[in-house]
Amino acid sequence: MGSLSNTPQKLNTVEDYKTFIDQFDTFLLDCDGVLWHGSQVLEGILDTVDFLRKNGKRLVFVTNNSTLSRANYVKKFERLGIQASEKDIFSSAFATAVYLRNILNFPADKRVYVIGESGIVDELAAVGIETTGASADNGIVMTHADFGNIQQDPSIGAVVCGFDLNLNYTKLAKAFTYLNNKEQGAHFILTNDDTTFPSPNGIFPGTGSLCAPLITSLKKTPLVMGKPNKPMLDCFFSNYHTDPSRTCMVGDRLDTDIDFGAQGGIATLMVLTGVSTEHEALDPAQPIKPTYIIQSFGELAKAKDA
């Protein structure tokens, strides 16, 4: 996918920053690489967040990380000195809950089997959807004799897979069994398909890699909620009712954040404080291009002096 403009505009001056800000009412912000690295808030971010809000801009923090609920994300933001409420946070776990409730009209008599952590369970519970699996199936050592104990469950209407530090064969076997039933027709949903998961100590396998055994064995393509997939953006607009023409996605990765905005037809701003480089964005062979490029999101605070 491309951007709204084929050639990205580099924002370099205070006047550039002011003109850019005036075009938008809502900013969708990736977090790691844009606002912080690990537990370190990037220079100028607190001033930029404060300046934009004082000028009536709405900031929504968008993340593919499904391990935390919005309530727990609020606590993380507080620890980092960034004011945020639950309504300001749009995670892949919350998007999954919104999709099941609002788009699929998930039946009240059905449950969701979860491969994942508390963020998914908490967000589904918040919209009235009952879950099973998740932490209840942690730590199970399965033997060959246990295959007979895994049976179809007609109450399972969907299997939702997210990042799970306690993934085991029992969880995979149960999810496979529930999804491998054509009559039951359970929905197969991934919170995101990120192949890797960033940590302070390096890169490790992500949700997309952890769920590969199910995709391979079932020969089924799941619905993927997280960036860059359009269902997450559809859920955002159905829940927040903002004007797409006055909305800008801000991120550091071409293949997730910028492609996410491009697929949704909204403007994008790529920061150079994270994964993707300016050289990659300007490469003529690069099909995914941002609308704008800036050295750091923290630079925008300088517009307050314009």
Side-chain angles (χ1 to χ4, degrees), residues 80-119:
L80 296 175
I82 301 174
Q83 182 180 356
S85 66
E86 288 189 27
K87 64 181 175 59
D88 299 323
I89 298 167
F90 199 72
S91 69
S92 62
F94 177 58
T96 300
V98 170
Y99 186 85
L100 283 166
R101 181 194 63 189
N102 293 353
I103 308 299
L104 294 183
N105 296 314
F106 195 72
D109 61 342
K110 294 290 186 179
R111 301 187 298 166
V112 172
Y113 184 78
V114 174
I115 292 179
E117 302 193 7
S118 61

Side-chain angles (χ1 to χ4, degrees), residues 12 104 109 156 158 177 206 263:
N12 292 307
L104 294 183
D109 61 342
I156 302 298
T177 300
Q263 289 198 49

Side-chain angles (χ1 to χ4, degrees), residues 182-196:
K182 295 180 181 179
E183 293 181 3
Q184 192 166 325
H187 297 282
F188 185 16
I189 300 174
L190 268 59
T191 58
N192 68 84
D193 58 358
D194 295 359
T195 56
T196 58

